[in-house]
Amino acid sequence: MKRKMLQAYNACAIILLLCAISQSSVAQTNTIRGRVSGTQNEPLANVSVHEKGTTNGTLTKEDGSFTLSVKDTSVLIELSFLGYASQEVSAGSAPFLNIQLQSKANDLNSVVIIGYQSVRRKDLTGATGVVDMTAVNRVTSASVGESIQGLVPGVTVRNTGAPGTNAAVEIRGVSNFGNSNPLYVIDGMFADANVTVNPDDIASIQVLKDASAAAIYGSRAGNGVIIITTKRGREGPTRLNLSARYGVQQIPKRWNMMDAAQYLQTVKQQYQNSGLGLPGGLNNNTINTDWQDAIFRTGNSQDYYLSASGGAAAGNYFISGGYYKNTGVLIGNSFERASLRINTEAKKGRLTLGENLMLSTSYGANPGGGINAFYEVPQMLPVIAVQAENYKSIQYNPGGWGMGTTDIPTYANNYAAVNALDKIRNSFVKVLGNVYVEFKLTDWLIYRFSTGVEASFDHNREVRDTGIWRYTNQPAATSINENRSQFTNFLMEHTLNFNKTFGRHSLNGVFGFSRTQQRTEFTSGGRTGLQTVNGTLFTTIGSALGAPAAGGGTSLLWRAHGYLGRINYAYDDRYLLTLTGRIDQDSRFGPDYRTGYFPSVAAAWRINRESFFNVPVVSDLKLRASYGKLGFSDVLGSWDYLGVLNNNPRAIYGTGQTPAVGQYQAALVNEDLHWETRIQQNIGIDAGFWDNRLSLSLDAYNSKSKDVLVQLPIANYLGGVGSPSINAASIRNRGIEFTATYRSKSAPFHWDISGNITTIKNRILSVGNQNSGADYLEPANFLRSQVGHAIGEWYVIKTAGIFHSAAEVNAYTDKNGRLIQPDAKPGDVKYIDANGDGVINNDDRQFLGSPWPSVQAGLQFNAFYKNFTLNLQWVGVFGNKLYNDVRRVLDSYQLTNFRKDIDPWSENNSGGTDPRLAVSTGSDPAIAANNMAQTDRWLEKGTYLRLRNIELAYNVSKGFLSRAGLSNARIYISGQNLFTITSYKGLDPDVQGNGILQRGFDNGNWPASRFYTAGITCEF
């Protein structure tokens, strides 16, 4: 009996074991099938599909289909694809999964970083711009700022073609007279996003534009904030990504200058008109130099990038390396950068440990001497050779560099000589990173500690060889000068993040403490008298023979700490409220003014969530409003509130005539320096139609800057010890921002288009007491920053063409019959006597335009057909005026080459539109009057529309990819800055200017280059 029972038991056990094995076998072979499509129902190839928490995954095929074997059909499946929001779906028992991914730009549930926390896009209450990273990656650029031009409303970007030079970025105008740069936050670290940072490492960019969005950064957020998040690894198998591109670059436009024969004919006429003999060197000329050919060249850029990423539930990693090199279109100018990034994160229970680390080394080269080739080259005479033996007879010119002489007069600089004789080399080593620890105290409360550093080790080296490069140039001693500096920026932060839901109520936010310190130390050394032995120039300080010079010190040292907080409240996903505040203390202010308070409030109403709202075509409708106060402290030096003594003076006293050391106060000091503040209001509306196929956003803003620092003149009887900075000025910026995006649904061809428009109206409200009741700043006699006007408006004498006859000259009289321009002759410029006093002078100046555009715009168009994609990016600037200082020098006709298209008045050309040709002498004062700088002769419209980028790409077919062992691959060709529609006569209307007060002043602005690029990206 027992044996039978045992046999029955064994049989049951075997049956159960076989059932278990069978079930296990079935679980191991469960197959999930499906298809993944995009927002227009188009199939998406190479989408990552993997089982959550494992490395089990696959990629979708060309038709969007996939097959994935899992152990259990109850698992979660994660899908991710570049440019689309990641999605989780439950496999369940469905025989086939149809999954549609949403574009990140269109996904209201996508996460947006807003400073110390992230929120859903639909929960934003402030003015936050989200950059389309796909558009960013299509542009050849060395820096972050350069790549976002035209992509975000309210953000003004002015580029330059100089290798290794940062773009100028401004958010909603300019609010002070000293610094308009926004604050950059890279992975939570306050850092400068300059050319030492590799744009290929960036995953997302958010722009905080109003007080509600930026107040969490308090005293440093007055110019807006740009938050940069770098790439991280995701759960799933290891991904290897490789990209490479090579491009050639050119100057899109050149000056249309005369050749030697045309120049000689024109200059002979000029001297003949003035009754002067032609300088001897201009007779029997056989030289014909195209100086633009000699100095400009075809440049190139190379950009290579390799990354590895992956992860699991317990952690992730991202490692990348990049190399970028740009050989500029101007001889002697280049830049290159190598970078390494390591981002990792590990999780264990409630604890998360992570780090973000970037290492980069950069190298730049350019000629010294402070010479601007784009200013000098068009002036240089074609009858002068670049270099020749006969020029060695010029004193201090052993290299035989061509330049002006008494017989061939010009003071233009030979840039080729500058490049050979004065070489500057810069190297930068940068470390940027942070380490963070997160501990999940409860399901809704997380503590985070983060500490980071930005350190830059910079080396500048300048070698000056023997020689000169300009007529009457005083020879500089041969020399070697080196400067080494170390910049450190430390940040330490403690934060508590919370996120709690109570029924229909949702509450989240952050509270924290932040402390930062910045320091710059430098050491410099140099020596004159370089040695040349057997034709070799020795360029070390030790080998030079002259007197050594050394210096050093701490040029920057300040500390700040702040207490920060933000609360986001939502009721039923309809009513949203955000309260933000920060209290900062900064060592750069006097002891009584170091503390600043920066609060803000914002609210939003999602109307489409209301029960009474039933409009099927409207998928989203939200009203927003915000009010707040920001500060700004980065316009200050470290010790501006302290007095400075000059201990260098010496005086001779007593019968022994012994030198005695003295001291005096070098400048008056304002001990009451305090915060510049920005009071900002913003009203906005966001709307989506037809399931967000069409999305619109409109913002109106008003920003008033108070207590802006400005230098006020002091009485001369105080000893001329400088003008102290006072918190006395006020500036207002107002404007409207509009964005629209439309996505088609047609297949197989589909497309989308997105555009943005920005208006910025800048007005000065106060500049303090500028003596004698003056209410303006005037750094140059052709522009003025005056109350009631924009910063740096053009303040010039208006012209009315030229006098075409003596009768016109004699008929131009005042009310008393006196000639207004008694020295004028036919062919001279006619000026408007604005004040009616019968005299042309500076009192006749008037405001005749602004360097600030009234409208700026960006447009992006994407088209998709099967494996092909086409992208167009446009930027436009409208309504501003530029001062063309290069044109002013050329059209003065004095000691310079001439434009080919000049049309000077003469007796035989009485209809000429340009002034008469003549040499400026004391006997003909009208020639000097024709060339006055403070006139509108040199003002031109700065409006332009530019094809910023065009790219045609092909996504390689799945069949080829499988044979090549690739997951996906994309090849493309692109053209950048291919053409610009503008009436501006300079090389480029995208002018950076000469500081804030001289915006729009083109004194040889380096034009943006035209690029032709080919590249490939692929994933293994």
Side-chain angles (χ1 to χ4, degrees), residues 587-591 594 638-643 669-671 673:
S587 67
R588 288 173 285 187
F589 299 97
R594 285 180 175 166
S638 299
W639 304 282
D640 288 358
Y641 66 93
L642 296 176
V669 174
N670 173 21
E671 297 179 351
L673 284 176

Side-chain angles (χ1 to χ4, degrees), residues 369-383:
I371 305 302
N372 182 348
F374 294 100
Y375 193 77
E376 301 291 337
V377 166
Q379 298 181 51
M380 202 61 176
L381 305 185
V383 295

Side-chain angles (χ1 to χ4, degrees), residues 351-413:
L351 188 66
T352 300
L353 174 65
E355 56 76 35
N356 305 288
L357 177 64
M358 183 209 76
L359 304 173
S360 75
T361 178
S362 307
Y363 177 83
N366 61 276
I371 305 302
N372 182 348
F374 294 100
Y375 193 77
E376 301 291 337
V377 166
Q379 298 181 51
M380 202 61 176
L381 305 185
V383 295
I384 297 175
V386 175
Q387 190 177 19
E389 281 294 321
N390 60 297
Y391 294 116
K392 291 182 178 180
S393 61
I394 300 174
Q395 191 176 17
Y396 314 119
N397 188 27
W401 296 103
M403 64 190 69
T405 63
T406 305
D407 289 336
I408 306 178
T410 183
Y411 291 96
N413 292 279

Side-chain angles (χ1 to χ4, degrees), residues 149 156-161 167-170 255 372 794 851-853 877 880-886 940-944 946 980 982 984-996 998-1008:
Q149 186 180 35
T156 301
V157 179
R158 289 169 291 129
N159 287 317
T160 172
V169 179
E170 295 160 355
W255 288 99
N372 182 348
W794 307 118
W852 308 95
V877 172
N880 62 321
K881 285 191 176 181
L882 304 176
Y883 187 102
N884 192 338
D885 197 54
V886 179
E940 299 181 33
K941 291 180 180 179
T943 294
Y944 72 88
R946 169 171 291 167
T980 302
T982 183
Y984 183 60
K985 298 181 178 66
L987 298 187
D988 187 0
D990 189 7
V991 173
Q992 284 208 355
N994 187 21
I996 292 176
Q998 297 188 40
R999 170 77 174 264
F1001 179 62
D1002 186 357
N1003 60 343
N1005 179 72
W1006 190 312

Side-chain angles (χ1 to χ4, degrees), residues 74-134:
S74 64
V75 299
L76 287 177
I77 305 300
E78 290 187 325
L79 300 99
S80 59
F81 190 56
L82 184 65
Y84 290 80
S86 298
Q87 189 171 331
E88 291 184 3
V89 297
S90 175
S93 58
F96 192 84
L97 297 177
N98 277 304
I99 304 169
Q100 186 176 54
L101 297 184
Q102 295 295 317
S103 170
K104 283 185 177 180
N106 191 35
D107 183 17
L108 296 177
N109 290 307
S110 63
V111 173
V112 177
I113 309 297
I114 58 172
Y116 300 100
Q117 67 172 137
S118 57
V119 299
R120 294 177 303 176
R121 188 185 184 96
K122 66 181 180 181
D123 293 336
L124 287 173
T125 56
T128 301
V130 180
V131 178
D132 181 356
M133 294 306 300
T134 304

Side-chain angles (χ1 to χ4, degrees), residues 774-948:
D775 61 350
Y776 57 84
L777 307 175
E778 192 172 286
N781 67 354
F782 49 82
L783 54 83
R784 176 177 285 186
S785 298
Q786 184 168 329
V787 172
H789 295 268
I791 296 174
E793 282 195 19
W794 307 118
Y795 191 62
V796 293
I797 302 171
K798 189 174 183 179
T799 59
I802 63 175
F803 295 108
H804 290 276
S805 65
E808 289 185 8
V809 174
N810 295 329
Y812 192 40
T813 60
D814 63 9
K815 59 185 178 181
N816 297 317
R818 292 176 301 184
L819 288 176
I820 294 177
Q821 292 181 238
D823 296 323
K825 299 177 182 178
D828 287 333
V829 177
K830 181 180 180 180
Y831 296 109
I832 299 298
D833 181 19
N835 64 355
D837 65 356
V839 179
I840 300 299
N841 55 27
N842 281 347
D843 294 337
D844 294 306
R845 291 177 297 167
Q846 54 186 299
F847 289 102
L848 290 176
S850 170
W852 308 95
S854 54
V855 176
Q856 53 193 34
L859 181 70
Q860 299 84 45
F861 174 79
N862 298 288
F864 308 88
Y865 180 73
K866 293 186 177 180
N867 287 20
F868 291 93
T869 63
L870 175 68
N871 168 259
L872 298 173
Q873 296 184 35
W874 296 81
V875 293
V877 172
F878 310 92
N880 62 321
K881 285 191 176 181
L882 304 176
Y883 187 102
N884 192 338
D885 197 54
V886 179
R887 179 84 172 233
R888 179 191 62 81
V889 173
L890 296 178
D891 284 8
S892 71
Y893 304 150
Q894 309 303 310
L895 308 179
T896 179
N897 196 5
F898 306 97
R899 292 183 293 112
K900 280 186 178 180
D901 56 351
I902 60 170
D903 183 25
W905 181 96
S906 68
E907 292 182 357
N908 297 325
N909 185 29
S910 59
T913 55
D914 291 315
R916 61 190 173 96
L917 280 169
V919 178
S920 182
T921 62
S923 61
D924 195 354
I927 296 300
N930 287 342
N931 303 322
M932 290 190 296
Q934 65 276 28
T935 78
D936 70 348
R937 276 193 71 192
W938 322 116
L939 295 184
E940 299 181 33
K941 291 180 180 179
T943 294
Y944 72 88
L945 178 64
R946 169 171 291 167
L947 180 58
R948 171 79 169 127

Side-chain angles (χ1 to χ4, degrees), residues 9 34 120 177 182 193 276 309 319 494 521 603 681 696 848 960 967 1007:
Y9 175 81
R120 294 177 303 176
F177 300 114
L276 300 173
S309 64
I319 304 172
H494 300 268
E521 296 178 334
Q681 301 98 32
L696 306 175
L848 290 176
F960 179 84
S967 300

